[in-house]
Amino acid sequence: MCGRTACALGADRIRRACVYRDNHGRIRQPEWRDADKYSPSYNKSPQSNSPVLVSRRHFEKDADSSERVIAAMRWGLVPAWFRDDDPSKMQYKTSNCRSDTMMEKLSYKGPLIKGKRCVVLADGFYEWQQHNGKKQPYFIYFPQPKQEMADGKDDDEEWKGWRLLTMAGIFDCWEPPDGGDALYTYTIITVDASKGLSAIHNRMPAILDGDEAIRKWLDFTEETKVSTSSKMMLDWVKNKSPKKEEDDLPRWSSQFIQIAAPKRTSAALMQQWLKKEEGDPCAKKPKTQ
């Protein structure tokens, strides 16, 4: 599962960290939608707004489906068919959805079939391991470049800052029955934990490692409206995520860092880094500017 994330980069740095190539080979930076609704935080919980990547075609029908935008969406999917006037009155949790049961649940099946796929962006996510009645927090993130990360000196073609964790998700758009602003919300798809993480928890987010995996997940076509095609995409994202292999280091090599028990401030939880086991690189704190 995934119940807390960290996303401490400012809006402009997130945009530069998401540089990609479109179908014409052009280097692009995704534009923001509702950037004012996003606030950096070391402790993102359900119901808070987080940045997600989506195809521009979801907002502009004539746009190239390979073009990406970053949207600030609320964590916890509210299906379009929800008829109450207050989305917070939903009686079940939708912050995560299991990949193996998505097609059985109306809340998730509808958006998936319609191609409403997104990539949830974060520095990493928190997980708590239960042991002898106590909970030990861990922070899981992509391995970072060994070279020193640049401080504000990145260009369009190469981002040298913190590598964002990219998780597969789906989103939907809910409109109040009596009129008002539309609400965009998302859920994170979870799969069986990889071997390296299974000791902490039996579930983990479906990870999209690399731009090609992100492109394939986001670039939808009319074929995604067919249930069988949606099922194929679910099978694909499960296969792209780390499996329980013999190797202790899955292909994406996510590191998990043991940290001290959380204190009252959310920043303190992220700042208390400890060195990994001997031979592993030290953890680095994400830049916040």
Side-chain angles (χ1 to χ4, degrees):
M1 63 175 295
C2 180
R4 285 289 192 279
T5 65
C7 197
L9 293 179
D12 184 63
R13 282 180 172 264
I14 289 177
R15 182 175 59 86
R16 287 185 282 152
C18 294
V19 167
Y20 70 100
R21 289 184 181 272
D22 62 19
N23 283 344
H24 303 288
R26 296 173 298 189
I27 296 176
R28 307 286 294 273
Q29 289 186 5
E31 297 179 0
W32 264 97
R33 287 179 57 90
D34 300 326
D36 57 315
K37 295 181 180 179
Y38 163 69
S39 297
S41 174
Y42 288 115
N43 190 357
K44 288 283 186 182
S45 61
Q47 308 306 314
S48 63
N49 288 327
S50 295
V52 301
L53 277 175
V54 296
S55 168
R56 183 187 291 274
R57 188 180 289 183
H58 288 298
F59 302 107
E60 302 173 20
K61 292 183 178 180
D62 296 330
D64 185 333
S65 62
S66 72
E67 293 185 17
R68 305 172 189 175
V69 297
I70 305 174
M73 295 188 185
R74 198 173 83 168
W75 188 3
L77 190 137
V78 178
W81 49 260
F82 186 69
R83 288 294 175 259
D84 205 307
D85 59 356
D86 184 357
S88 64
K89 293 181 180 179
M90 288 188 62
Q91 298 181 355
Y92 51 94
K93 297 181 179 180
T94 56
S95 55
N96 292 168
C97 59
R98 293 177 61 99
S99 60
D100 52 338
T101 60
M102 286 181 67
M103 295 298 289
E104 302 170 7
K105 300 181 182 298
L106 181 61
S107 298
Y108 307 136
K109 181 179 179 180
L112 182 64
I113 290 177
K114 294 177 181 178
K116 293 183 177 180
R117 302 194 293 266
C118 64
V119 176
V120 182
L121 304 171
D123 299 333
F125 70 95
Y126 299 99
E127 194 56 82
W128 282 260
Q129 180 187 47
Q130 297 193 28
H131 183 67
N132 294 331
K134 297 181 180 180
K135 291 185 177 181
Q136 170 65 52
Y138 288 80
F139 183 66
I140 296 96
Y141 58 99
F142 269 143
Q144 300 300 310
K146 292 184 179 180
Q147 67 269 24
E148 289 297 319
M149 294 183 291
D151 186 8
K153 298 180 181 179
D154 3 278
D155 54 32
D156 286 355
E157 297 190 23
E158 185 177 4
W159 164 255
K160 299 182 178 67
W162 186 266
R163 184 189 177 193
L164 294 175
L165 190 65
T166 43
M167 300 171 283
I170 56 173
F171 73 95
D172 210 345
C173 179
W174 174 82
E175 297 183 357
D178 298 327
D181 294 336
L183 175 66
Y184 284 88
T185 60
Y186 72 91
T187 183
I188 296 174
I189 299 173
T190 65
V191 296
D192 290 335
S194 63
K195 184 177 180 179
L197 291 182
S198 59
I200 299 175
H201 199 279
N202 64 345
R203 303 290 295 179
M204 63 176 287
I207 304 299
L208 298 169
D209 186 6
D211 194 67
E212 178 60 21
I214 293 173
R215 182 200 64 76
K216 188 170 183 179
W217 182 247
L218 292 182
D219 194 0
F220 69 100
T221 65
E222 289 299 313
E223 292 178 351
T224 59
K225 295 182 179 180
V226 182
S227 296
T228 53
S229 296
S230 300
K231 179 63 167 58
M232 288 175 60
M233 285 305 299
L234 275 182
D235 292 340
W236 174 82
V237 77
K238 284 188 289 186
N239 291 332
K240 291 297 290 184
S241 296
K243 298 179 181 179
K244 293 183 178 179
E245 299 173 347
E246 293 299 323
D247 189 355
D248 286 337
L249 292 176
R251 184 171 60 87
W252 61 299
S253 305
S254 180
Q255 302 171 20
F256 29 100
I257 306 302
Q258 186 172 353
I259 53 181
K263 295 186 178 181
R264 291 185 178 180
T265 61
S266 60
L269 182 63
M270 189 79 164
Q271 291 170 344
Q272 296 187 46
W273 300 100
L274 295 179
K275 189 175 181 180
K276 276 199 66 183
E277 298 176 0
E278 184 177 357
D280 288 334
C282 294
K284 296 181 180 179
K285 174 186 172 185
K287 297 181 183 296
T288 58
Q289 300 297 321

